[in-house]
Amino acid sequence: DGMEQIHEDLANSIWINEGGIPDNNIDDYNKGYIDDYRGYNLAAEDESRAWGDTYNTRTHGTSVAGILGATSNNALGIAGVAGKCKIFPLKIAPFGTQSLSYGYESIIYAAVNGFKVINCSWGIDNYSDINQSIINFAVSRDVAIVAAAGNDGDSRLVFPAAYNGVMGVGNSWPDDVLVGNSAYGAHLDIVAPGEGTITTSNSNVYTNFGGTSGATPIVSGTLALVRALHPELTNLQAIEFLRRCTDNIEAKNPSDLQKGLIPGRINMLKAVTLNPFDKPSISLVDHEMTTDGGKETNRFAIEETIHLSLTVVNQLRSADGFLFRLSVVSDPQQSLQVLTNEV
C-alpha cells in the first residue's frame, strides 16, 4: 500500500528504472506509466500526488519492504531476506487509507515491466474471473506471484493467494506454531515465521511486525534469491521448487481442524543449496467432479458416488510411474469415504 523511499535502510535497495527522468511528468518509456523511476504510485490521480511518490502514512508497506529488501551490511537497522536483490515499490492504496484500489493494476504493471517476483501482502475473500485472467497474464510473462493467505484464522479462500499460479503464504511463530489468526487450508502453499519480525517503518524508525503480511515477504525474498541463483527456472518452476524447500511442522500444530491443511515451513538453507532438478514436483492444476451419469457438479446426495478427475503437472525433474494415494483431509462429519485411494 506504499513505501517510504527515503528510509535509511531502504533507499539503497530500490531498483532504478534507468533511462528515465524523475519527476518530469512524462512517460519516458512509452509503456503508459509516468515518472516510474524509483517506484510508481497507481493512486496518484486519486490523491493529487506525484506518480513517483509511493509514501503512505500507513506504515504497512514500508514494514513489508524492510523484511524483503532492507539493505545488508550497511551498519544500519536490519538486513532484508533477499540480500542484494532490488525492490521496486508500487503504491496501490490512496494516501492515508488501506484500500486495495489498485492491487491488480500493480500486477499488470509488474508483468508489463518484466519483474521476476511480486510480493502481495494483501487480499480479499472475493473471487473474480477478471482478476484470475490478470494473474494468468502475469504468469504468462514469467512473473512469480507471492501473496498473503489471510488473517481470519480459518480456511476460507483469500485472493490473490487462492488464484491458480499464485504462491499463498501462512504465518507462524518462530517455534513453528501457526499464529492463531493465520489462514490455513487449500490456498496455502507454504508457511513462514513472520510474527514478531523486526523491520522498517516510516521516518527511519524500526518496529515489530507480523501477520501473513509479514510472512509473505520472507517467502518472496527467498524466491527472489532462488530466481537469481537459478535463472534457468521459470516462474512456476521456482515456486514449485521453493514449495519443496520446507520442513514439516504438523507435529507443532496438532489441531484436528487444521490436520492436513498446514503446508511446510520455509527452509531458506534448502532453497539456496538444493538442486531444483533432483526430484519431480507435482502440483494440482484443476479438478472436476461428476456423478455416475457423467454430469459435472459440486453437490451430491447421500450414498451417491463421486467421480473425481484431477489435472496435475510436473514442473521439475522428468519421471513416470507415479502412485497417488488419496485421502480425506477435512471432514468433521465423516461424510466421505474414498473408494479408490490409489491411482
Side-chain angles (χ1 to χ4, degrees), residues 93-117:
F95 192 74
T97 77
Q98 54 184 336
S99 167
L100 301 179
S101 302
Y102 298 97
Y104 290 93
E105 287 84 348
S106 73
I107 294 175
I108 293 173
Y109 181 97
V112 169
N113 286 277
F115 292 174
K116 290 299 184 182
V117 179

Side-chain angles (χ1 to χ4, degrees), residues 84-335:
K84 295 182 180 179
C85 297
K86 296 293 185 178
I87 58 178
F88 192 81
L90 298 173
K91 185 178 181 183
I92 66 173
F95 192 74
T97 77
Q98 54 184 336
S99 167
L100 301 179
S101 302
Y102 298 97
Y104 290 93
E105 287 84 348
S106 73
I107 294 175
I108 293 173
Y109 181 97
V112 169
N113 286 277
F115 292 174
K116 290 299 184 182
V117 179
I118 183 169
N119 182 95
C120 301
S121 285
W122 51 268
I124 57 175
D125 58 0
N126 292 328
Y127 174 86
S128 162
D129 284 334
I130 293 175
N131 290 340
Q132 176 67 74
S133 71
I134 290 172
I135 297 295
N136 294 344
F137 170 68
V139 170
S140 74
R141 300 288 292 260
D142 199 37
V143 182
I145 306 170
V146 184
N151 300 311
D152 296 313
D154 56 29
S155 60
R156 78 184 73 177
L157 300 182
V158 171
F159 302 91
Y163 283 128
N164 291 335
V166 178
M167 190 170 212
V169 184
N171 182 36
S172 73
W173 295 97
D175 63 359
D176 287 342
V177 175
L178 202 71
V179 176
N181 67 352
S182 173
Y184 55 89
H187 64 304
L188 265 69
D189 297 289
I190 199 167
V191 170
E195 201 63 25
T197 307
I198 298 175
T199 185
T200 50
S201 187
N202 290 351
S203 303
N204 289 335
V205 169
Y206 297 86
T207 187
N208 287 320
F209 197 64
T212 53
S213 287
T216 301
I218 295 175
V219 175
S220 59
T222 307
L223 191 60
L225 290 177
V226 168
R227 300 214 71 184
L229 186 61
H230 298 286
E232 72 277 11
L233 297 178
T234 67
N235 51 350
L236 295 181
Q237 286 179 322
I239 286 174
E240 280 304 300
F241 171 59
L242 187 57
R243 191 168 65 87
R244 271 189 15 222
C245 295
T246 57
D247 294 331
N248 191 312
I249 59 173
E250 289 181 345
K252 295 289 188 73
N253 297 277
S255 168
D256 288 340
L257 189 64
Q258 298 173 342
K259 187 176 181 180
L261 296 176
I262 301 177
R265 186 257 304 129
I266 190 170
N267 183 318
M268 289 183 63
L269 181 60
K270 290 181 179 179
V272 296
T273 56
L274 295 183
N275 175 9
F277 294 100
D278 67 349
K279 64 180 67 174
S281 186
I282 309 299
S283 60
L284 178 66
V285 175
D286 201 1
H287 73 280
E288 180 183 274
M289 294 185 292
T290 58
T291 65
D292 272 337
K295 179 182 177 181
E296 185 176 354
T297 181
N298 60 4
R299 296 183 66 87
F300 300 89
I302 295 173
E303 296 185 354
E304 187 171 11
T305 300
I306 303 168
H307 299 273
L308 175 64
S309 176
L310 304 177
T311 303
V312 299
V313 62
N314 175 21
Q315 295 285 2
L316 295 172
R317 179 178 175 176
S318 298
D320 56 18
F322 279 102
L323 177 67
F324 286 87
R325 291 187 174 90
L326 307 179
S327 60
V328 177
V329 173
S330 181
D331 181 22
Q333 281 72 43
Q334 298 183 333
S335 57

